[in-house]
């Protein structure tokens, strides 16, 4: 007996070890799956950052056709629905309420008439006669009530319809007046913009630049004098460029390779050029009164303000520059001024105001600051 108990104990211990081993294997499996998912997310995040930076270099330029926008949009007036069928529907519904009572009263009246005609019993004759007279009175009263109720319901519904139609006509009139006011304001705004009104220009610039934000902080200080804009674009720091290239191995593990300094500098230069060209293309596409402008790629290093590149833009070559393969090619078309060392690191330099301003007084220059993020 003791040996049997010992054998059972051995078997129980062996099963426990198997269960423990199974739990350990399952834990390893889930750890592996979790690790693979983290690797995948890390790789996808790295690729999304690189693709976002590359996407900024896709330039486009299409001037807004303000001539067609000045055409007044016609007012599309809503039509008030025809409610003639509503009254008939209400009339029919109200008549249905009296159908069963009339049928019941009429049926009883016929029964009493039959009894009155065929019966020879005096009591039956008296009862049927009284019943006939009573039911005739009730039927007449019921018909009168039906007529009155139908007339009342129809009048109430007619008044309700008239009030609703009056309210709809009032709303349509207000909508038309609002549409006309908005069209007048829109066309006047376009005319002010075409005439070079500085308030209209700044409002349009703020509208178009904030509608096309960057995935990181970029801002612009825009100064205008004599319809010549000076656009200082505050560029993101170089640290925004990933310093490693991420690739996915066959095992699912991401591998990282350090970028060369020259590659990082070139990518940062391309990013800055693309940002500047995108900003200027939006401004030139929406502000037709700008023929000549200046762009400054600015950087802040602590308290120091540095200019990394500058260029003069003429409307005639902006479109060609925006059709370039990337931002650097666009700056070359614009003959931008910049300096860099052998590793393509941009060297700051002193920048001057547009030469056409001719040392204008600061109070005569209009300024606006726009955040693009």
């Amino acid at each position: 007996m003791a040996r049997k108990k010992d054998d059972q104990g051995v078997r129980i211990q062996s099963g426990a070890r198997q269960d423990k081993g199974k739990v350990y294997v399952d834990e390893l499996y889930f750890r592996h799956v979790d690790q693979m998912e983290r690797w995948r997310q890390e790789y996808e995040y790295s690729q999304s950052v690189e693709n976002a930076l590359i996407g900024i270099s896709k330039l486009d330029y299409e001037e807004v056709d303000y001539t067609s926008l000045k055409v007044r949009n016609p007012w599309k007036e809503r039509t008030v629905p025809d409610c003639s069928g509503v009254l008939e529907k209400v009339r029919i519904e109200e008549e249905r309420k009296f159908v069963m009572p009339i049928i019941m009263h009429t049926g009883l009246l016929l029964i009493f008439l039959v009894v009155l005609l065929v019966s020879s019993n005096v009591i039956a004759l008296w009862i049927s006669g009284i019943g006939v007279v009573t039911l005739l009175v009730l039927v007449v009263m019921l018909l009168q009530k039906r007529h009155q109720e139908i007339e009342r319901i129809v009048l109430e519904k007619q008044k309700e319809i008239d009030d609703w139609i009056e309210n709809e006509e009032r709303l349509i009139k207000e909508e038309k007046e609002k549409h006309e006011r908005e069209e007048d304001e829109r066309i006047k705004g376009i005319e002010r913009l075409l005439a070079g009104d500085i308030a209209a220009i700044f409002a349009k610039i703020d509208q178009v630049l904030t509608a096309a934000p960057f995935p990181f902080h970029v801002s612009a200080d825009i100064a205008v004098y004599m319809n010549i804009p000076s656009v200082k674009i505050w560029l993101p720091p170089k640290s925004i460029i990933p310093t490693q290239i991420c690739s996915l191995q066959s095992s699912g593990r991401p591998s990282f390779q350090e970028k060369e300094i020259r590659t990082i500098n070139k990518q940062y230069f391309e990013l800055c050029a693309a940002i500047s060209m995108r900003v200027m293309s939006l401004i030139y596409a929406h502000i037709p009164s700008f023929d000549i402008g200046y762009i400054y790629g600015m950087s802040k290093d602590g308290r120091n303000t540095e200019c990394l590149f500058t260029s003069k833009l003429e409307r005639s070559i902006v479109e060609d520059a925006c059709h370039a393969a990337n931002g650097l090619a666009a700056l070359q078309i614009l003959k931008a001024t910049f300096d860099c060392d052998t590793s393509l690191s941009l060297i700051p330099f002193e920048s001057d105001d547009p030469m056409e301003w001719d040392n204008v007084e600061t109070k005569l220059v209009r300024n606006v600051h726009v955040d693009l993020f």
Side-chain angles (χ1 to χ4, degrees):
M1 293 296 292
R3 180 176 295 178
K4 288 184 179 180
K5 290 182 179 179
D6 292 341
D7 292 342
Q8 290 177 358
V10 171
R11 285 196 295 271
I12 291 173
Q13 291 177 3
S14 177
R17 284 196 298 270
Q18 290 177 358
D19 293 340
K20 185 176 180 180
K22 183 179 179 181
V23 171
Y24 180 71
V25 171
D26 290 343
E27 184 178 353
L28 287 178
Y29 172 75
F30 286 115
R31 284 182 180 178
H32 174 70
V33 171
D34 185 57
Q35 182 64 55
M36 292 289 290
E37 179 64 19
R38 287 199 299 269
W39 285 343
R40 184 187 64 81
Q41 293 178 359
E42 187 176 2
Y43 171 74
E44 290 182 353
Y45 173 76
S46 176
Q47 293 299 306
S48 66
V49 172
E50 292 287 354
N51 291 333
L53 297 177
I54 294 173
I56 295 173
S57 296
K58 297 178 181 179
L59 305 176
D60 187 23
Y61 181 79
E62 184 178 357
E63 291 188 3
V64 177
D65 183 12
Y66 285 107
T67 303
S68 61
L69 291 178
K70 287 177 65 177
V71 178
R72 180 179 292 273
N73 294 322
W75 162 247
K76 297 179 181 179
E77 185 171 339
R78 294 188 294 110
T79 57
V80 179
D82 183 14
C83 301
S84 58
V86 176
L87 293 177
E88 187 63 25
K89 183 178 179 180
V90 170
R91 184 190 301 276
I92 294 173
E93 289 179 354
E94 193 64 25
E95 286 178 349
R96 287 175 180 172
K97 296 178 181 179
F98 292 89
V99 171
M100 288 306 298
I102 291 175
I103 291 175
M104 292 175 61
H105 285 72
T106 305
L108 291 173
L109 178 61
L110 292 175
I111 292 173
F112 280 118
L113 283 174
V114 171
V115 173
L116 183 63
L117 293 175
V118 301
S119 178
S120 58
N121 189 297
V122 176
I123 296 175
L125 291 173
W126 274 100
I127 293 174
S128 60
I130 294 172
V132 168
V133 173
T134 303
L135 287 171
L136 283 174
V137 173
L138 291 176
V139 169
V140 171
M141 292 176 62
L142 189 60
L143 292 174
Q144 289 179 348
K145 182 179 179 182
R146 185 189 70 163
H147 176 74
Q148 292 173 356
E149 286 295 318
I150 291 175
E151 186 176 1
R152 182 182 64 81
I153 292 296
V154 170
L155 289 175
E156 289 179 356
K157 182 57 68 173
Q158 182 64 57
K159 185 178 184 305
E160 182 181 340
I161 291 174
D162 292 341
D163 293 341
W164 181 78
I165 291 176
E166 182 181 355
N167 183 60
E168 283 295 306
E169 291 176 347
R170 179 179 58 80
L171 290 177
I172 291 173
K173 182 179 179 181
E174 291 177 356
E175 290 173 0
K176 183 178 181 180
E177 292 176 352
K178 181 181 178 182
H179 171 79
E180 296 299 331
R181 287 196 304 270
E182 290 177 349
E183 283 297 296
D184 290 339
E185 293 175 0
R186 184 182 66 84
I187 294 175
K188 288 179 181 178
I190 294 175
E191 291 175 347
R192 290 196 302 269
L193 183 64
L194 296 176
D197 180 76
I198 194 65
I201 289 174
F202 281 168
K204 176 59 70 173
I205 289 176
D206 183 77
Q207 176 188 353
V208 298
L209 292 185
T210 53
F214 291 96
F216 40 77
H217 185 271
V218 176
S219 61
D221 287 324
I222 303 170
V224 179
Y225 176 69
M226 295 177 57
N227 240 1
I228 299 175
S230 167
V231 182
K232 292 184 177 180
I233 301 175
W234 298 98
L235 302 166
K238 190 184 295 185
S239 58
I240 199 172
I241 303 297
T243 59
Q244 295 177 324
I245 300 174
C246 180
S247 60
L248 203 62
Q249 299 178 358
S250 58
S251 62
R253 181 192 296 269
S255 64
F256 295 91
Q257 181 182 358
E258 293 291 333
K259 292 181 181 179
E260 296 181 357
I261 297 298
R262 184 182 178 87
T263 302
I264 296 175
N265 291 336
K266 182 180 179 181
Q267 189 175 1
Y268 179 67
F269 193 4
E270 164 60 29
L271 176 65
C272 295
I275 291 172
S276 303
M277 288 307 305
R278 286 187 64 176
V279 171
M280 294 306 294
S281 66
L282 287 171
I283 292 176
Y284 270 78
H286 290 83
I287 311 299
S289 60
F290 289 169
D291 289 325
I292 298 175
Y294 290 81
I295 182 175
Y296 302 87
M298 307 299 294
S299 174
K300 280 186 178 180
D301 185 9
R303 295 184 178 180
N304 297 326
T305 299
E306 301 173 339
C307 180
L308 302 180
F309 57 85
T310 181
S311 176
K312 179 180 180 180
L313 284 81
E314 296 181 3
R315 180 174 292 275
S316 57
I317 61 174
V318 170
E319 184 173 0
D320 294 335
C322 289
H323 289 160
N326 50 49
L328 286 177
L331 284 187
Q332 291 175 354
I333 293 175
L334 296 176
K335 298 180 180 179
T337 301
F338 60 89
D339 192 12
C340 58
D341 56 21
T342 55
S343 64
L344 297 182
S345 178
L346 291 169
I347 300 175
F349 59 90
E350 293 291 332
S351 61
D352 298 323
D353 290 333
M355 62 179 67
E356 290 84 358
W357 288 11
D358 193 22
N359 297 322
V360 64
E361 295 183 19
T362 306
K363 63 181 181 180
L364 298 178
V365 180
R366 303 293 297 275
N367 299 273
V368 66
H369 177 82
V370 182
D371 289 315
L372 296 85
F373 68 97

